[in-house]
Amino acid sequence: MQVRGRCTFEIKRSGATDQGLAYEVAIGTRAPLKLDTDTKVTLSQDTNFNTVYAFTVNEPSTVLLDALSVGDSANVSYRIRNAQGQQLWSSDLGDNQWDGALKLAAGEYTLELSGNSWAGASQIDFAFRLANVAATGVALLALDTPIDGVLPSGREAQLYRLQANAGDTLAITPAVAAGASANWRLLDADGQVLSSGYADGDTYNVQVWSSFSYVLLLVGDFITAPGVVFSVGAALVPASAPLAIYSSTSITFSQSTAFFAFYSFTLAHACPFLLYSLSSRPLA
């Protein structure tokens, strides 16, 4: 139970007055938590597999809980609350590979962690990082300049800033070494997942509608072994020629263009329009 402010704890008993009564009251403490820092945690039966951290956001930030490790025979859920106790976010460490990030105003917050051991173990050991994906220290992924790296534990998220303008179409190509598994996510200004996929070496085209420094995440799965080599790159897909109204246009999709084409067109005034196919056939 989580409460705030001045409280009164009252105990009532029933039965004979000569019966003994023993009780214990434990007041939980909140350990301080620092953003962008790896934190190792042990949840035990002594605390009913629960713990609470307190952290401060000094300026508007967008935070992401990066699960660095968690046992195969345990599950750890988490909740983020504001200073008024309102729950802002909740998820599981073992099932958050596709989660977005949480946009927070400056203020005081708590992170509650609760574990469940399926194997009946007396403790659960894991590690996490509460990352500020909006921090200025996040590395820039320049267009047409792929980055190669290593996932030391095989799991931690790699964060990159990706600058794009409204109407741009980005070609994102993430990959990890053979036998490893990872996924990628592109987050918008509000921390929402704009697009996502697997880091399988394929090229994914994503169109953005705002000029912004987006955040690209590459996250290894828990089954991925330590020291996995990865690469990630992004390029700008050239816009096709303007589309002329009342004119037919022929398109040939191929693997070299990732089966994608982008056209722009101009309307002199607001009006309904119809887009229809004249023909469609597979390549020989």
Side-chain angles (χ1 to χ4, degrees), residues 194-232:
L194 184 62
S195 188
S196 62
Y198 291 100
D200 49 13
D202 287 345
T203 296
Y204 298 83
N205 289 313
V206 183
Q207 188 171 12
V208 298
W209 298 104
S210 300
S211 297
F212 182 70
S213 184
Y214 294 84
V215 176
L216 179 65
L217 296 122
L218 182 70
V219 185
D221 290 342
F222 285 120
I223 61 174
T224 302
V228 171
V229 176
F230 73 88
S231 66
V232 61

